[in-house]
Amino acid sequence: MSQRNIVTLNNKVEMPVVGIGTFLLNPDEAEASVLNALKGGYRLIDTANAYVNEKAVGRAMKKSGIPREGIFLETKIWPA
């Protein structure tokens, strides 16, 4: 990934700025989409418990064969 597609956070962790979101994807769609995105070079995945597809995202990450450290996974915290 080129330098312009990465941002360095305050803690010096480098985060991709382009990724795949999983909002409104059912579990089967989420698994297939995330797996294809990872195979295509994406390393940032956005999900949330409210999307009810986190397990599918995890399956895709595992199936990809990419080490967990190589994937930047972001999620949301319920506001209450």
Side-chain angles (χ1 to χ4, degrees):
M1 190 171 289
S2 72
Q3 288 290 61
R4 65 177 180 255
N5 294 327
I6 302 259
V7 65
T8 302
L9 304 177
N10 289 337
N11 61 0
K12 307 297 184 232
V13 171
E14 291 185 338
M15 182 181 94
V17 295
V18 178
I20 182 172
T22 61
F23 182 57
L24 297 180
L25 297 179
N26 68 45
D28 290 337
E29 293 169 333
E31 185 172 344
S33 297
V34 168
L35 185 56
N36 285 322
L38 290 170
K39 286 181 178 180
Y42 287 86
R43 294 296 180 266
L44 171 65
I45 303 168
D46 177 74
T47 190
N49 184 259
Y51 301 171
V52 194
N53 59 24
E54 287 177 310
K55 288 182 182 179
V57 168
R59 285 192 301 271
M61 290 170 59
K62 187 172 183 175
K63 285 181 181 178
S64 77
I66 298 166
R68 175 60 184 89
E69 306 81 42
I71 301 171
F72 203 100
L73 179 67
E74 58 185 25
T75 191
K76 289 113 186 134
I77 301 172
W78 201 257

